[in-house]
Structure formats: structure tokens, C-alpha cells
Amino acid sequence: MSEVERIAALERQVANLTLMVEVSKTLNSTLDLDSLLQIIIKSATELTNTEMASILLVDRASGELRFEAATGAEREALKTLVVPRDNSIAGWVVRENKPLLIRDVQHDPRFYRQVDSATGLATRSILGVPLRFKGQVIGVLEALNKIEGNDFTDEDVQVLTTLAGQAAVAIENARLLAELREQDRLKSQFITDASHEMRTPLTTIKGYLQLILDGAMDAEQQRTSLEIAARNIDVITRLVNDILYLQEMATIRAERVPVEMAGLVREVVAAAQGQARLAGVILRAEIPSGDLPPVSGSRKRLARALANLVENAIKFNTDGGEVVVRLREEASSLRVEVSDTGIGIPAEYLDKIFNRFYRIDSSAPHLARGVGLGLPIAKQIVEEHGGEMHVKSEPGKGSVFSFTLPKT
Ligand code: ADP
């Protein structure tokens, strides 16, 4: 390298370092994820002297690799593009947790061509580096096409890796903040919904008590009014209990002890016989003979989940109907199934009934009206035990709610 080249290289390094300090300041002061991603791709192109840059992030829930930002591209158009992990440059970077430099992309089998069709640009060369946070690869930062046809250098790899290190921390912070804000929003929504739920029975109670106080009722009418008030107090009590239960679940993790499901099913079914008799519904359990392996978890919570399903199966049934609770062993789990011959659930409501406070108005006879927390509580318990909740239903014929629990 000649003296002139060395000085030019040094000047470039100083310029890059100055830019990096600026970028670092901006990254640390930006908490909005979209703006942050835009700043990162802009800095990536400036620092590596490239035409464009893009960011892919690993979806935490599904593990899919998705474009989150790219120079000149609409985020929405990119978002639908899931990049295969096995057959793409970004997938390679995530898997190997290493930078990857490809000078001639069009002849590399790892290049995922659909990206060019989505952005309308032709990729010639790519430098991809992992975005790492606490040792985990959370995504990939890519710089594409060196300007003036130059090749990527080792210095580019270094510069982009440094930027990726800072970018990953900033991205995680922004995501954390977004998550906290979402949790806060859900909490406020919950408080609003719960207050609304409380207001209706309170208004009813107040109304009937006022009628009694007004002195316009005979003894019989007074009695009926008090009965209605008492029933509405029960609704409020149930609501408060369910809210406290959700609160307990959010703060105390389920214990992990071996739970023998056959005994638990018998117990829950026995406890619900009184309710079934009152509703004119036959309730029985079908438990295979012989030993079943235990599951691991909290007996109390699992009993609560099953009791909620059984209670609904009785409540939304018809006089003379039937409820059967079956326990079955499957390859890697135990399955508990609650089937009823009740009113059933129209298909369009099947995914909604697990939302908090959701009830199908048309289906609930007045007395069966609950607070809409039974199913969300049951589902949450099953999921915290590593299981899954399913429902099948046919309006007018009945429903089958079932859940799995991993065998231990
Ligand atoms: P709640 O029972 O307190 O109303 P849930 O969360 O347990 O609340 O259930 C939500 C809604 O789902 C119910 O209001 C009802 O409309 C519907 N549902 C639940 N279980 C059944 C069932 N076995 N058959 C028919 N509808 C049901």
C-alpha cells in the first residue's frame, strides 16, 4: 500500500468512526422501532458505501425470518415476505451466527430471488452480518451492492458488525418498550371492561332496592326483588373472584408436582353433579382402566380449568342433555375432552370465545350468563402447563372442548 493509499484508508476510518459515534447517539435516543430501523439501514449504506441495506428479524413466536426494513421499500410489502431459513443468505447468517460476504449474488444458490422482485432492485453483491443480543441472533443486517462496482472489504465487514452490535441493543430496547406499552394498554382495557361488567349488576341491584325502599311493593314482590338482587351480587362476586384469580396467575407461577389426572377428573365431575342435576343434565366420566402417566403442574389450577369447561357444558346444555368427560392417553400427552349435547357454538365465534369478557349474546339464556372469563382462564392454565386447548362445535348439536397436557 502506498503512502497516499494509507492516508486515504486512515481518513476513511476516521470518517467512519465519526459517523459511528453519531449513529450510536441517534440509536440510543430513538425508541420507536420503525424510525430506528430506518436509521440503521441509512447508516449501514453510508458506512459501507453501498446502494442499499435491509434488516431481517427473527419472529420470536414463530421463529420465521422476516424483512422489517429495506432501502426504498415499503415496509408493508416486505412484511409479507417470509425468508426461508434453509435457502437464503440471511438464513445462513442466522444459522451460522457469522458474517457472510458474497461478491456475485446471482450465481450463489443461497440467494433468495423473491426479494429482488419485491423491491424491484437487482442485487449484485451482499454483505450480511448477524444482529446479536445477549449471544442470541435476533436478525440480520445486510448491505447490498457496493457503489462504483468496488468489492466489499474486510473493513466493511468490521464496520457493519460494529453497527449491528449497537443496532441489536437498540432494537431490543425499542421492542421491550413497545411490549410494555402494549401490556399497559391491555391492563387499562381490562380495567375498563371489568368496570363495565360490574356496572350492569350494580345498577340492577340499586334499582330493585330502591323499589323496596319506595314502599310500593307487597311482601311477595319484595322477596322476588331481593332474590334478583342476590343473584346479581353472585355475578359480581364471581367477577371479582375471577379477576383475583387472573391476578394470582399473573404473579404466581404454577407449581410443578406430579398430578394424577384420573383422580382429578373424577373429583371435578363429582363436584359438578349438583349443578348437573339442577339443570337436568346427565354428567359422567369415561376414564380408561389401568395406570396413566402423571402430568406435571398445579393440581388446583388444572382442576379449575376442567371445572370451567364442565360448568359451561352443563350451563349451555338443554334439559335432558348429556355431558361426558373423557380422559385419553396419546403419544406424548394426555387429552381431556368435555363433550356436551348443548346449544353449540356458531363457527364465527369459535376463536372469539377465548377472549376475556366475550360471551355470545344470542346463545346465553339469561340465567346462564356468566362473566366471560371462564374460557380465557381455562386456556391460560392449559397453556402455562405446556398444553393446547381446542374446540369443535356444531350449533344445535353440541360442543367438544378438549385440552392436552404433556406426559412426564
Ligand atoms: P361464561 O361462561 O362466564 O359466559 P366463558 O368464557 O366460560 O364465559 O365462555 C364464553 C362464551 O362461550 C359463553 O358465554 C358462551 O356463549 C360460549 N360457550 C362456552 N362454552 C360453551 C359450550 N359448552 N356450549 C356453548 N357455548 C359455550
Side-chain angles (χ1 to χ4, degrees):
M1 203 189 273
S2 74
E3 191 64 14
V4 177
E5 281 170 338
R6 243 202 317 274
I7 290 174
L10 270 177
E11 278 176 348
R12 225 177 24 249
Q13 274 180 6
V14 171
N16 271 354
L17 276 175
T18 316
L19 188 56
M20 188 70 83
V21 171
E22 280 309 306
V23 169
S24 158
K25 272 196 238 157
T26 323
L27 289 184
N28 285 328
S29 59
T30 312
L31 280 165
D32 170 63
L33 188 59
D34 279 336
S35 332
L36 192 65
L37 297 177
Q38 290 307 320
I39 295 167
I40 296 168
I41 54 173
K42 185 160 172 286
S43 313
T45 53
E46 285 174 13
L47 284 163
T48 56
N49 201 20
T50 42
E51 283 177 7
M52 18 176 205
S54 54
I55 296 171
L56 297 96
L57 294 178
V58 178
D59 186 296
R60 272 184 287 205
S62 64
E64 283 173 345
L65 195 53
R66 235 181 258 276
F67 271 96
E68 294 289 332
T71 312
E74 289 290 323
R75 182 150 183 241
E76 288 313 308
L78 287 172
K79 280 221 114 165
T80 51
L81 206 65
V82 176
V83 175
R85 272 182 168 240
D86 295 334
N87 241 327
S88 71
I89 291 171
W92 188 95
V93 174
V94 170
R95 210 170 45 244
E96 301 292 322
N97 192 359
K98 273 195 265 192
L100 178 63
L101 200 170
I102 296 181
R103 297 204 159 84
D104 184 4
V105 162
Q106 298 299 337
H107 290 102
D108 195 292
R110 285 170 294 195
F111 182 57
Y112 185 58
R113 266 156 241 290
Q114 265 160 278
V115 181
D116 273 3
S117 352
T119 55
L121 296 164
T123 309
R124 297 189 304 274
S125 54
I126 285 193
L127 168 60
V129 298
L131 287 160
R132 288 194 203 102
F133 183 75
K134 291 192 176 156
Q136 284 246 334
V137 184
I138 62 160
V140 181
L141 174 60
E142 291 179 342
L144 304 96
N145 298 352
K146 270 298 244 195
I147 288 173
E148 293 152 7
N150 290 336
D151 269 351
F152 279 108
T153 61
D154 288 349
E155 199 185 312
D156 290 323
V157 180
Q158 247 176 36
V159 165
L160 203 63
T161 303
T162 310
L163 174 65
Q166 308 216 1
V169 176
I171 289 172
E172 277 303 306
N173 283 341
R175 280 186 181 179
L176 195 66
L177 185 75
E179 240 166 59
L180 286 175
R181 285 193 175 137
E182 175 61 9
Q183 273 176 20
D184 199 49
R185 193 189 63 78
L186 287 175
K187 240 188 196 138
S188 304
Q189 185 63 46
F190 185 77
I191 292 170
T192 309
D193 290 345
S195 309
H196 276 296
E197 290 299 327
M198 208 108 48
R199 203 158 55 181
T200 315
L202 279 174
T203 310
T204 311
I205 295 165
K206 177 83 202 295
Y208 280 97
L209 292 184
Q210 194 61 52
L211 284 176
I212 295 172
L213 286 175
D214 289 347
M217 287 181 153
D218 62 27
E220 181 60 27
Q221 286 169 325
Q222 281 186 17
R223 196 185 157 74
T224 310
S225 298
L226 287 174
E227 274 166 7
I228 295 171
R231 264 208 307 275
N232 279 280
I233 288 172
D234 288 344
V235 172
I236 298 173
T237 310
R238 232 182 15 245
L239 179 62
V240 170
N241 284 340
D242 281 352
I243 291 172
L244 287 175
Y245 197 80
L246 280 168
Q247 190 63 22
E248 184 191 313
M249 278 205 291
T251 47
I252 306 169
R253 277 172 54 120
E255 55 178 345
R256 294 260 167 240
V257 296
V259 180
E260 200 258 306
M261 286 303 289
L264 183 144
V265 169
R266 278 193 201 97
E267 217 171 86
V268 171
V269 167
Q273 288 298 355
Q275 187 201 346
R277 246 192 320 276
L278 278 177
V281 169
I282 294 163
L283 168 64
R284 59 190 176 84
E286 276 180 17
I287 296 166
S289 54
D291 283 344
L292 291 175
V295 299
S296 170
S298 153
R299 194 172 203 282
K300 195 168 143 236
R301 284 194 192 179
L302 290 171
R304 171 79 180 237
L306 179 58
N308 285 2
L309 297 185
V310 172
E311 209 174 283
N312 280 346
I314 298 170
K315 237 171 29 175
F316 300 105
N317 219 312
T318 44
D319 199 3
E322 196 183 26
V323 174
V324 186
V325 185
R326 293 186 181 86
L327 180 62
R328 260 206 316 271
E329 183 171 4
E330 297 183 343
S332 56
S333 53
L334 294 190
R335 180 179 291 276
V336 184
E337 191 183 275
V338 181
S339 65
D340 66 63
T341 54
I343 57 177
I345 303 161
E348 67 263 34
Y349 297 120
L350 285 179
D351 56 341
K352 298 206 181 95
I353 51 175
F354 293 99
N355 293 343
R356 289 176 177 184
F357 299 114
Y358 194 85
R359 285 152 309 193
I360 307 166
D361 271 348
S362 57
S363 75
H366 182 68
L367 281 179
R369 216 179 139 75
V371 294
L373 289 175
L375 288 179
I377 288 177
K379 184 165 188 255
Q380 194 171 327
I381 294 175
V382 167
E383 285 173 357
E384 76 168 345
H385 282 81
E388 279 177 31
M389 175 79 82
H390 299 280
V391 55
K392 282 185 299 193
S393 187
E394 210 178 317
K397 290 243 166 89
S399 312
V400 182
F401 284 80
S402 74
F403 61 87
T404 54
L405 294 169
K407 289 197 278 201
T408 46

